[in-house]
Amino acid sequence: MTDSAALADRLRPILEDAARRGATLTYLELATAAGVGPPRAIHRVTHALEHLMRADHAAGRPLLAAVVVSAKRGGLPAPGFFRLAAELGLYFGPEHGDQAALFHAMELQRACPSREPPA
């Protein structure tokens, strides 16, 4: 098992709990909750989230990684979320702006059914 896969296994229950509560987490909050410290904590977390995105897509599940947002992007995930979603054939658009926000809101609704649907 790769380091990313092992970390993904640790992240999944944290993300599932946030999804059940209809909450989002920042990358730093997720790293802290999972006990991932320096060096390169956020980098390691993002690689594990990419592993989760691939696994969720392959299993036909919502992208649980949508629960994680950047503290600096107005409630959107980092650009890598959108790039990988495009690579997986799930998203066709820019990494920012209205189209990205709508895709994220829709995917977040799928991952967190208790959240209000996007307008």
Side-chain angles (χ1 to χ4, degrees), residues 3-4 7-8 11 27-28 30-31 36-51 78 83:
D3 289 341
S4 290
L7 181 52
L11 297 182
Y27 293 90
L28 181 57
L30 179 58
V36 179
R40 302 170 43 128
I42 303 301
H43 180 77
R44 293 190 334 238
V45 164
T46 57
H47 278 279
L49 287 170
E50 289 172 357
H51 181 86
R83 283 193 293 268

Side-chain angles (χ1 to χ4, degrees), residues 29 34 36-37 46 57 72-73 76 79 86 88 94 98 103 105 107 111:
E29 288 170 336
V36 179
T46 57
H57 175 65
K72 299 176 183 176
R73 296 195 79 229
L76 290 179
L88 295 172
D98 292 343
F103 172 75
E107 203 56 44

Side-chain angles (χ1 to χ4, degrees), residues 61-110:
R61 294 185 299 254
L63 300 179
L64 197 53
V67 169
V68 186
V69 297
S70 172
K72 299 176 183 176
R73 296 195 79 229
L76 290 179
F81 172 84
F82 299 100
R83 283 193 293 268
L84 183 53
E87 181 184 312
L88 295 172
L90 300 172
Y91 176 64
F92 306 94
E95 299 164 0
H96 52 80
D98 292 343
Q99 190 174 347
L102 179 59
F103 172 75
H104 176 249
M106 290 169 49
E107 203 56 44
L108 191 55
Q109 176 65 37
R110 289 182 64 222

